């Protein structure tokens, strides 16, 4: 099963070996043949061949229009875009891509801090809503405040009022006349309210 860290981990593993880094750098600097790459990188012909085989297998080095080897910069762009898409659409409601993220910002059922990046912030807030409020159950504001205060005990950066506003703005909670309710999954999101 793919995870959100796979493209980044693959790239990290690829460049964890010095010979591959040196061969890649030589290609990036314009060496286009195995002999030129070996000369520029200071690698033996065999080490150059092994490194190029792995770099080519991962798609980060390929044959250019003129027949020489070139860096396939598009591969890096695609991996970065893939990572961004996962972060934007990832879900924390199961054993999946959000768990490492949650361990960074939530410890022992307490919010340490909110992420600065909006996509990550939304995942953490979704987790808090799912762990704190049952769908369809009505909660008076006093109870909502108590439940959210418990999340904020370890954080100097956020209070329960700000947390409540985020949950309402993101439609994880709906508010009407001082009563809050987490919508069930089959309900539409409706219009934003401010709490």
């Amino acid at each position: 099963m793919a995870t959100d860290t796979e493209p980044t981990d693959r790239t990290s593993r690829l460049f964890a070996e010095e010979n591959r880094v040196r061969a890649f750098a030589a290609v990036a600097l314009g060496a286009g043949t195995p002999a030129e790459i070996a000369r520029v990188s200071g690698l033996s012909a065999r080490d150059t061949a092994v490194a190029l085989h792995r770099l080519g297998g991962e798609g980060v080095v390929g044959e250019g229009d003129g027949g020489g080897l070139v860096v396939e910069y598009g591969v890096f762009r695609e991996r970065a875009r893939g990572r961004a898409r996962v972060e934007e659409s990832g879900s924390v409601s199961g054993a999946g891509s959000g768990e490492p993220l949650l361990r960074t910002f939530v410890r022992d059922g307490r919010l340490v801090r909110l992420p600065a990046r909006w996509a990550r912030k939304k995942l953490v807030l979704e987790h808090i809503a799912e762990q704190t409020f049952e769908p369809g159950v009505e909660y008076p504001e006093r109870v909502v405040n108590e439940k959210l205060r418990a999340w904020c005990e370890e954080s100097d950066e956020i209070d329960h009022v700000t947390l409540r506003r985020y949950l309402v703005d993101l439609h994880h909670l709906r508010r009407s006349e001082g009563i809050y309710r987490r919508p069930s999954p089959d309900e539409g999101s409706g219009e934003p309210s401010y709490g």
Side-chain angles (χ1 to χ4, degrees):
M1 179 180 197
T3 67
D4 64 327
T5 57
E6 235 173 57
T8 303
D9 287 349
R10 252 180 44 211
T11 303
S12 297
R13 285 191 303 270
L14 179 65
F15 291 109
E17 203 276 317
E18 181 183 351
N19 288 350
R20 291 192 292 259
V21 173
R22 290 169 65 181
F24 181 83
V27 174
L29 291 172
T33 67
E36 290 174 345
I37 294 165
R39 184 179 48 77
V40 170
S41 67
L43 297 172
S44 69
R46 181 184 182 284
D47 288 344
T48 299
V50 170
L52 290 175
H53 177 73
R54 181 70 190 274
L55 293 167
E58 285 293 324
V60 299
V61 169
E63 191 172 320
D65 293 337
L69 294 172
V70 295
V71 172
E72 298 288 354
Y73 292 104
V75 170
F76 294 101
R77 283 191 292 274
E78 283 305 310
R79 287 183 182 180
R81 286 183 190 129
R83 174 73 181 227
R85 281 192 297 272
V86 167
E87 288 178 351
E88 286 295 324
S89 66
S91 173
V92 297
S93 53
S97 62
E99 288 187 12
L101 172 82
L102 289 176
R103 284 193 295 270
T104 302
F105 298 102
V106 176
R107 292 195 193 113
D108 299 322
R110 300 289 183 262
L111 179 65
V112 177
R113 63 187 170 90
L114 275 176
R117 292 177 59 191
W118 186 240
R120 292 178 176 186
K121 188 179 293 186
K122 289 191 303 189
L123 291 174
V124 170
L125 291 165
E126 178 185 359
H127 173 76
I128 290 171
E130 289 175 353
Q131 297 300 309
T132 309
F133 303 102
E134 291 295 321
V137 175
E138 294 185 345
Y139 298 92
E141 188 168 294
R142 175 186 52 79
V143 173
V144 171
N145 289 341
E146 287 171 13
K147 288 178 171 286
L148 295 180
R149 254 189 220 106
W151 281 98
C152 300
E153 287 176 0
E154 300 293 321
S155 176
D156 295 329
E157 298 181 13
I158 191 164
D159 60 30
H160 69 282
V161 174
T162 304
L163 193 54
R164 186 183 71 213
R165 178 176 294 269
Y166 276 131
L167 293 175
V168 171
D169 288 350
L170 291 171
H171 312 291
H172 294 307
L173 288 178
R174 289 189 178 165
R175 184 182 71 133
S176 177
E177 298 177 9
I179 301 295
Y180 293 78
R181 184 175 59 83
R182 183 172 152 228
S184 60
D186 57 328
E187 289 182 73
S189 63
E191 293 299 314
S193 348
Y194 299 96

